[in-house]
Amino acid sequence: MAGDWHRAQHPAALIQSLQDEADQATDPASLDRRQRAAAAADRRCDAESGLRAALAAARTAFLRQQPGTTLTRLEGVWHVRQQALRRAAWQVPSPR
């Protein structure tokens, strides 16, 4: 992934570079521009590779092969995760 101000091997590296900039107290407007540029680069890269679509199709095909009991358990795990995320968001103090 490459853009005007960055070059990253994968999205996680790009996210880390943005986090590093935020930690260095980069001004909000500059950080916003960089985040938007990173998002555009990610969309462009994904459109060219089709990786997300291919992974989603493979995941769907895999899940269709699973027995109903496995799908029920996975759905239960998903619900518990959603509940945990809501609780965590509720407990995080808002930025000042």
Side-chain angles (χ1 to χ4, degrees):
M1 296 174 46
D4 296 336
W5 58 271
H6 66 275
R7 182 170 295 291
Q9 293 297 318
H10 49 81
L14 185 56
I15 292 167
Q16 184 60 52
S17 72
L18 289 168
Q19 184 62 52
D20 292 344
E21 286 190 45
D23 291 344
Q24 295 172 10
T26 302
D27 70 281
S30 177
L31 190 57
D32 182 60
R33 282 191 301 276
R34 291 178 187 235
Q35 286 176 326
R36 290 175 187 273
D42 182 55
R43 283 191 303 274
R44 192 171 45 252
C45 184
D46 187 55
E48 291 171 5
S49 71
L51 182 60
R52 285 189 180 102
L55 290 173
R59 191 169 34 251
T60 298
F62 173 77
L63 288 172
R64 284 190 178 136
Q65 296 174 357
Q66 301 308 306
T69 54
T70 300
L71 296 176
T72 300
R73 286 182 174 177
L74 287 171
E75 187 173 344
V77 169
W78 184 82
H79 284 293
V80 169
R81 181 178 187 275
Q82 295 305 309
Q83 185 179 41
L85 289 171
R86 284 192 300 275
R87 286 182 182 167
W90 181 75
Q91 294 177 359
V92 173
S94 61
R96 295 176 198 208

